[in-house]
Amino acid sequence: MRMDETFLENLLGIVIDLTSTERGLAVDGDLAVQKARNMDSALLESEDFMDFTNGCLREALDSGDTVFTNNVITDLSEAPTTNTNFSNLRVIVALPIDTKGAIYIDQHIKNGVIHKEIIEKIERLIGELLPVSDQPMSKDDMMERFNALD
């Protein structure tokens, strides 16, 4: 089953709206960027950024689980033992959409964390939307389904 062209784009918009995150990406199952929001071409062409982002997205796709991380300390055993100023620290979530694609969102830590409760509800929404992901669905339709969840 093939995902409708606008499905990932609309889902990305819903996820960003619901989490109030700064930016995001929607990729297909091969990690090809389908839609980017609030990311300029220089960032999308940055090998370091895309390697890191693709690593998060691949982990989410391979495991089938949402990945919560940051862009500075990915291995807790390597965490600094002193109080360090992380001026570029971003909180990151990568949401798998079965094996068909994934959503990556992030924001600067100064803007707060991405709440796990909202991500869990988004995960339930994705589960409901997957069977109809090959059909056109507007952002309003997706939001209506999200709001109907307990």
Side-chain angles (χ1 to χ4, degrees):
M1 176 176 16
R2 186 178 171 279
M3 221 177 263
D4 178 71
E5 291 175 3
T6 60
F7 181 84
L8 281 172
E9 181 177 346
N10 288 340
L11 186 59
L12 173 63
I14 290 294
V15 171
I16 287 176
D17 291 348
L18 290 169
T19 59
S20 300
T21 47
E22 296 170 25
R23 60 189 193 180
L25 286 174
V27 299
D28 65 17
D30 296 322
L31 301 181
V33 175
Q34 302 300 301
K35 182 69 178 176
R37 217 162 126 190
N38 301 323
M39 293 186 179
D40 61 23
S41 58
L43 183 63
L44 293 173
E45 292 168 6
S46 164
E47 188 175 335
D48 287 342
F49 175 76
M50 290 311 296
D51 284 350
F52 175 78
T53 302
N54 285 341
C56 294
L57 292 165
R58 177 54 51 210
E59 181 180 342
L61 282 168
D62 288 349
S63 69
D65 295 324
T66 299
V67 173
F68 294 86
T69 191
N70 65 73
N71 63 329
V72 177
I73 305 167
T74 54
D75 181 349
L76 291 178
S77 68
E78 296 175 5
T81 56
T82 60
N83 185 6
T84 307
N85 179 6
F86 295 113
S87 60
N88 293 319
L89 182 62
R90 300 187 77 81
V91 289
I92 295 160
V93 176
L95 288 151
I97 305 166
D98 193 37
T99 58
K100 301 172 187 189
I103 301 288
Y104 169 97
I105 55 173
D106 74 12
Q107 71 181 9
H108 196 279
I109 190 68
K110 71 179 178 184
N111 294 329
V113 297
I114 301 169
H115 295 281
K116 188 168 182 171
E117 296 79 19
I118 193 79
I119 295 298
E120 288 171 346
K121 193 170 178 183
I122 291 169
E123 289 171 331
R124 290 197 327 265
L125 173 68
I126 291 169
E128 282 200 9
L129 296 179
L130 268 173
V132 294
S133 64
D134 61 335
Q135 302 168 16
M137 184 176 304
S138 71
K139 281 179 62 176
D140 289 340
D141 292 338
M142 289 181 178
M143 188 60 84
E144 192 174 302
R145 286 183 179 232
F146 178 83
N147 290 330
L149 295 173
D150 307 351

